[in-house]
Amino acid sequence: MQLDDLNAIAEKEKAAAKKVCLRTCMSAGCMSSQADVINKNLDAEVKARGLEGEVEVRRVGCMGFCGQGPLVGVDHDDGRHELFEFVKPEDAPAIVNSLKGGPCDVQRGDPQHPFFAKQVKIVRANGGIIDPESIEDYIAAGGYQALHQVLTEMKPAEVIEEITKSGLRGRGGAGYPTGLKWGTVAKSPGGKKYVVCNGDEGDPGAFMDRSVLESDPHLVLEGMAIAAYAVGADQGFLYVRAEYPLAISRLQIAIKQAKQLGLLGGGIFETPFIFNVDIRIGAGAFVCGEETALMASVEGKRGTPRPRPPFPAESGLWGCPTLINNVETFANIAPIIGRGADWYASFGTEKSKGTKVFALTGKITNNGLIEVPMGIPLRQIVEEMGGGAPDGRKIKSVQTGGPSGGCIPADFLDTPVDYESLTKLGSIMGSGGMVVMDDTTNMVEIARFYMEFCMDESCGKCIPCRAGTVQMHHLLEKIAQRKATLRDLIKLEELCDMVKNTSLCGLGQTAPNPVLSTLKFFRKEYEDLLQPDQFGPPGNGQPNPQSAPK
Amino acid sequence: MAAKTLTIDGKQISAEEGATILQAATEAGIAIPTLCHLEGVYDVGACRLCIVEVAGIPKLLPACTTRVVEGMDIKTDSERLRKYRRMILELLFAERNHVCAVCVSNGNCELQSLAYSNGMDHVRYEYNFPKWGVDTTHGLFGMDHNRCVLCGRCVRACWHIEGAGTKNVAGRGGKSRIITDLNMPWGEADSCTSCGKCVQSCPTGALFHKGSTVGEMERDRGKLEFIVTAREKKQWVAAD
């Protein structure tokens, strides 16, 4: 495979394109509502009318508007785009009919709606447009050009320099500078190195990585190959949880296709560069998203974290230097190389560059996946793009960062969405889950829910996380059931402090965050549930507010 | 190997390069409480009792897995650390059914001694009272899950000293438990060599010799260290 061959594939693919294209979303969400039947019916309908010469029926990845699925997009020959929502298999004749101006009562979406108009698509640029199971489609969209550019024109250090310049920070949650991480792995001594893609997405309400893997698997593979070249690795592992069977099967297809075309394996683009990727299927333990636990799992051991240092960059898989990045981080790489670090850095804020994909869910009118530039005010996401809370209710808070994050109250909706601003509010960017809550939401119940999640997902290795979360959950349940006193609340706060400061890994260290942030902003909701203490005011001479005269 | 000089609790000490804070402190006669640490097997930093404060580092670090660095200023016994240690012990007591009065290890139990030495005189957390079983299917030994603190010492001793790999951990969170082979009764585990190293390593009465009555279990941990020293350093000298 050389550049000419790559371009030839792209040209052939483009030449074969038909004037009109019907695109059916084939992501897990729409598939669960019979998207594959819809697609089959559309195909049959097009054939029955003898339109196969001018109308293409394509299976595509996620279009983002998941709450309105199944979705069918239409590209007309005059450049118009249409979007059909809540499509049923029996709607196929009407949709095909409408191509020639016939009547069609299927609900139409508005492609100009802020939900779409405010997005800046870098990671999800191909989502909903290309067929994720066709490497030719990806190549026609400019795929593998960046890998070619890197292998033939750039030294590894130049690649790292470019990524550093782009300002990209890890999209898995903590926001560690990607270029710095790559540089550390590249400089670590050792012959054998590994690249690992962390696709163990497990935050409640989050599905960004799943969607990227399902919609554009080659983008992630290309990013990993570029990373491998930059740090000097020849073997990669894609760690995906078993709950994502569609993502796994599309990755398997993608790896096979890339190998057949010589874009993975030995002598890629006729250079000495070798890169192989294997999939590792995780059994669905939340803690396996923690990098040291993930590595243990890849090695075939029980997925439990270990103390750091040594960091994976120095001693990772089987003791070798290992680069671990999240799915979305890798998906950003090819666009950065292809269009330049300066172009990428032109999006976002000073310290948080580029875009971020969020899974907007909860009590919100438009839920689905959005990709927005960093620094966009939370209000624009929630009120304009998301359309606010349904049924005219008021938004009370937005939970970001999953079980490691916190709840941001509605008063702070004007906060720009970047790493630092969210941290200041006691929450985090996280991998991109964004759960909106309206004024009917009970914040104590939310804290209890996340604590239950952490309690169940604790690996059991260190005591603060294993036993501390159980006790915190006990106390939250007691408060929620109106059986607790101020003593219990103080005990809960003490436990939060202890578990945060003494736990071994990030899961335990952040498990108290949903409690701490709801206590910070919605303390009254907790206090309203407390009972008077039969033993009088708790220690330290503090008066019991319950017994104080009103 | 260059020696490192550092300060522990205001005391200037020197330590070998590559030594852990725990090793350096022990050599200098400074006791740091530990539970999952066991001489002879590698450390995992799981019990969090040995956490210390290091000046300039906001996080608390486990002394058993953190290596010494030149000029480190370490505190092992601040008010904050004492409080956290007491809470960790309380959590352990509340987690399973640790009833000293009917335990074979009463008086020879590390959990009990740690509670004494760290001033844990009562438990403020609700007892979970879980229903855990006792496995007495093995001819020589027994396992009482009610007394297990999941320190993983038996697992490490079995894998790394005996090399049998009979013991392991199954389950997650508070439902984690020590299992034998593929979660079968101990007496039916083919890989078990009945060497008893796991019993020697257990800090509580969870693993015991059959036939011992209350308060009888004494352990000889020196044996484990002796084997490892003999194997790795070719020195057949028992640790005292």
Side-chain angles (χ1 to χ4, degrees):
Chain A
M1 168 72 73
Q2 278 182 318
L3 188 60
D4 293 345
D5 306 321
L6 195 68
N7 289 336
I9 293 173
E11 287 311 315
K12 193 178 157 204
E13 192 65 20
K14 280 180 197 157
K18 291 163 193 166
K19 279 190 284 183
V20 181
C21 184
L22 282 173
R23 296 174 279 119
T24 319
C25 172
M26 286 289 168
S27 271
C30 291
M31 286 281 268
S32 66
S33 307
Q34 295 188 296
D36 50 342
V37 184
I38 296 167
N39 188 66
K40 254 184 224 146
N41 289 0
L42 286 172
D43 201 35
E45 197 61 33
V46 166
K47 285 196 178 119
R49 289 169 196 240
L51 294 171
E52 29 323 17
E54 47 183 313
V55 179
E56 186 187 346
V57 179
R58 189 186 291 178
R59 303 155 60 92
V60 298
C62 179
M63 295 184 214
F65 216 7
C66 308
Q68 318 290 104
L71 300 169
V72 173
V74 187
D75 303 328
H76 289 282
D77 47 1
D78 55 4
R80 272 185 312 124
H81 298 288
E82 270 186 302
L83 183 67
F84 292 104
E85 303 171 343
F86 300 111
V87 181
K88 291 184 283 295
E90 58 269 28
D91 292 337
I95 290 174
V96 176
N97 212 12
S98 77
L99 298 177
K100 298 278 179 199
C104 173
D105 56 358
V106 183
Q107 184 175 320
R108 281 187 166 89
D110 172 16
Q112 301 311 314
H113 189 277
F115 186 86
F116 298 106
K118 285 206 177 286
Q119 295 198 41
V120 174
K121 291 187 176 181
I122 296 176
V123 167
R124 292 187 25 80
N126 295 330
I129 294 176
I130 65 163
D131 180 348
E133 298 184 10
S134 156
I135 191 170
E136 289 82 8
D137 253 18
Y138 179 69
I139 292 172
Y144 288 107
Q145 296 278 348
L147 180 62
H148 178 269
Q149 186 188 335
V150 163
L151 294 184
T152 55
E153 295 167 24
M154 296 168 87
K155 292 195 185 87
E158 289 169 353
V159 180
I160 295 172
E161 175 63 30
E162 194 71 8
I163 299 299
T164 308
K165 240 172 66 187
S166 75
L168 176 66
R169 294 170 65 172
R171 296 293 192 244
Y176 191 79
T178 306
L180 189 57
K181 199 186 236 182
W182 288 25
T184 315
V185 179
K187 287 188 187 105
S188 289
K192 185 82 179 168
K193 288 176 187 175
Y194 295 98
V195 167
V196 177
C197 174
N198 183 346
D200 190 75
E201 183 174 58
D203 291 15
F207 51 97
M208 302 75 53
D209 293 350
R210 191 196 75 202
S211 165
V212 170
L213 292 172
E214 283 175 0
S215 309
D216 206 354
H218 287 286
L219 184 66
V220 181
L221 291 176
E222 191 179 355
M224 286 179 74
I226 294 171
Y229 173 74
V231 302
D234 62 357
Q235 174 68 50
F237 289 100
L238 255 157
Y239 192 90
V240 188
R241 52 172 44 208
E243 285 96 325
Y244 288 177
L246 191 62
I248 293 166
S249 104
R250 289 198 177 147
L251 282 170
Q252 282 165 338
I253 294 169
I255 291 172
K256 199 170 153 197
Q257 290 172 337
K259 271 195 181 151
Q260 276 168 352
L261 289 185
L263 296 166
L264 278 181
I268 299 171
F269 284 118
E270 298 181 12
T271 66
F273 178 60
I274 299 170
F275 186 58
N276 283 298
V277 177
D278 285 320
I279 298 174
R280 285 288 178 272
I281 300 172
F286 183 64
V287 71
C288 286
E290 201 277 343
E291 53 188 19
T292 58
L294 186 151
M295 292 188 311
S297 180
V298 170
E299 289 176 4
K301 298 176 188 151
R302 179 174 160 89
T304 52
R306 60 158 175 80
R308 298 174 303 171
F311 288 91
E314 186 193 329
S315 170
L317 282 175
W318 296 285
C320 302
T322 302
L323 172 76
I324 299 190
N325 274 141
N326 169 264
V327 169
E328 199 184 326
T329 315
F330 282 125
N332 270 303
I333 301 302
I336 291 174
I337 298 294
R339 305 182 70 171
D342 295 332
W343 164 80
Y344 189 81
S346 70
F347 300 101
T349 65
E350 195 198 332
K351 284 185 176 166
S352 306
K353 299 289 185 199
T355 58
K356 177 81 193 83
V357 181
F358 288 104
L360 191 59
T361 54
K363 298 283 178 64
I364 188 132
T365 310
N366 307 321
N367 61 60
L369 275 187
I370 51 164
E371 182 172 358
V372 288
M374 291 275 193
I376 185 173
L378 199 50
R379 189 181 299 281
Q380 277 193 22
I381 295 181
V382 179
E383 288 183 356
E384 292 177 35
M385 303 176 78
D391 309 324
R393 302 224 70 105
K394 268 178 69 186
I395 286 172
K396 182 172 181 180
S397 113
V398 180
Q399 211 277 352
T400 70
S404 306
C407 296
I408 299 169
D411 302 350
F412 293 91
L413 277 185
D414 291 313
T415 307
V417 177
D418 59 58
Y419 290 99
E420 279 73 24
S421 304
L422 295 186
T423 311
K424 243 183 246 165
L425 289 175
S427 188
I428 57 165
M429 177 84 70
S431 52
M434 198 175 263
V435 184
V436 182
M437 297 158 192
D438 69 8
D439 54 3
T440 59
T441 315
N442 176 339
M443 299 316 277
V444 179
E445 181 50 37
I446 293 296
R448 195 202 59 81
F449 166 79
Y450 279 104
M451 195 48 71
E452 185 175 5
F453 181 86
C454 289
M455 177 179 79
D456 289 340
E457 294 294 342
S458 166
C459 77
K461 186 173 180 176
C462 82
I463 299 157
C465 175
R466 183 183 77 220
T469 50
V470 171
Q471 292 295 344
M472 287 197 279
H473 182 254
H474 259 322
L475 290 166
L476 286 163
E477 198 130 79
K478 207 171 161 189
I479 295 171
Q481 290 171 357
R482 295 177 179 271
K483 288 179 184 163
T485 65
L486 187 60
R487 275 169 212 275
D488 295 303
L489 190 60
I490 293 170
K491 222 188 275 179
L492 176 66
E493 287 182 293
E494 262 184 8
L495 274 170
C496 286
D497 170 61
M498 193 275 268
V499 172
K500 198 181 168 80
N501 287 302
T502 60
S503 289
L504 193 159
C505 83
L507 173 55
Q509 286 159 10
T510 58
N513 283 1
V515 183
L516 288 170
S517 74
T518 47
L519 266 172
K520 182 172 169 190
F521 296 116
F522 303 96
R523 193 181 179 90
K524 196 166 176 310
E525 288 189 33
Y526 283 83
E527 288 175 347
D528 286 348
L529 294 167
L530 297 181
Q531 298 301 308
D533 198 324
Q534 54 172 319
F535 302 111
N540 305 338
Q542 290 168 349
N544 184 348
Q546 297 295 320
S547 57
K550 294 260 152 64
Chain B
M1 279 229 266
K4 306 276 175 196
T5 52
L6 55 150
T7 317
I8 302 184
D9 292 340
K11 190 173 165 184
Q12 284 257 319
I13 63 157
S14 65
E16 265 178 49
E17 186 177 1
T20 62
I21 295 178
L22 183 64
Q23 285 165 344
T26 311
E27 206 184 276
I30 298 164
I32 300 176
T34 60
L35 183 59
C36 66
H37 169 78
L38 175 69
E39 286 299 334
V41 291
Y42 67 92
D43 282 303
V44 289
C47 75
R48 316 307 283 174
L49 280 172
C50 70
I51 43 164
V52 293
E53 290 173 354
V54 178
I57 298 175
K59 272 188 185 174
L60 301 173
L61 299 172
C64 66
T65 60
T66 310
R67 312 261 164 211
V68 293
V69 173
E70 181 66 39
M72 248 184 182
D73 182 9
I74 302 160
K75 264 194 208 148
T76 73
D77 198 28
S78 69
E79 188 49 56
R80 180 183 181 210
L81 292 176
R82 278 201 291 270
K83 181 182 159 193
Y84 286 161
R85 284 174 189 154
R86 272 199 306 275
M87 288 173 84
I88 288 172
L89 289 165
E90 281 180 72
L91 286 172
L92 276 177
F93 274 90
E95 188 178 36
R96 297 207 173 180
N97 305 304
H98 296 281
V99 188
C100 299
V102 293
C103 181
V104 285
S105 281
N106 191 8
N108 298 306
C109 171
E110 289 184 40
L111 182 66
Q112 194 181 35
S113 334
L114 280 165
Y116 287 147
S117 58
N118 286 277
M120 191 217 89
D121 47 15
H122 67 291
V123 175
R124 292 166 302 156
Y125 306 117
E126 245 174 274
Y127 282 90
N128 293 335
F129 297 125
K131 286 193 172 68
W132 288 103
V134 182
D135 182 352
T136 52
T137 53
H138 193 280
L140 302 171
F141 319 118
M143 163 107 207
D144 185 349
H145 291 278
N146 295 292
R147 299 165 180 163
C148 179
V149 289
L150 291 164
C151 62
R153 282 189 192 182
C154 54
V155 177
R156 281 173 282 153
C158 189
W159 281 81
H160 297 277
I161 306 183
E162 178 61 6
T166 303
K167 295 277 178 214
N168 219 324
V169 187
R172 247 187 254 164
K175 297 186 186 87
S176 306
R177 68 193 182 283
I178 301 293
I179 53 164
T180 313
D181 272 4
L182 292 171
N183 194 19
M184 44 178 55
W186 197 350
E188 292 168 27
D190 289 336
S191 69
C192 180
T193 60
S194 302
C195 72
K197 291 189 181 69
C198 54
V199 181
Q200 292 295 350
S201 68
C202 182
T204 68
L207 291 171
F208 54 88
H209 291 287
K210 273 187 166 177
S212 298
T213 54
V214 172
E216 274 192 351
M217 276 289 291
E218 278 183 61
R219 290 180 171 82
D220 186 3
R221 303 229 204 284
K223 272 194 182 133
L224 299 174
E225 221 185 323
F226 168 75
I227 297 170
V228 175
T229 318
R231 191 181 288 162
E232 288 173 0
K233 297 184 184 159
K234 310 283 178 231
Q235 290 169 13
W236 281 262
V237 192
D240 38 44

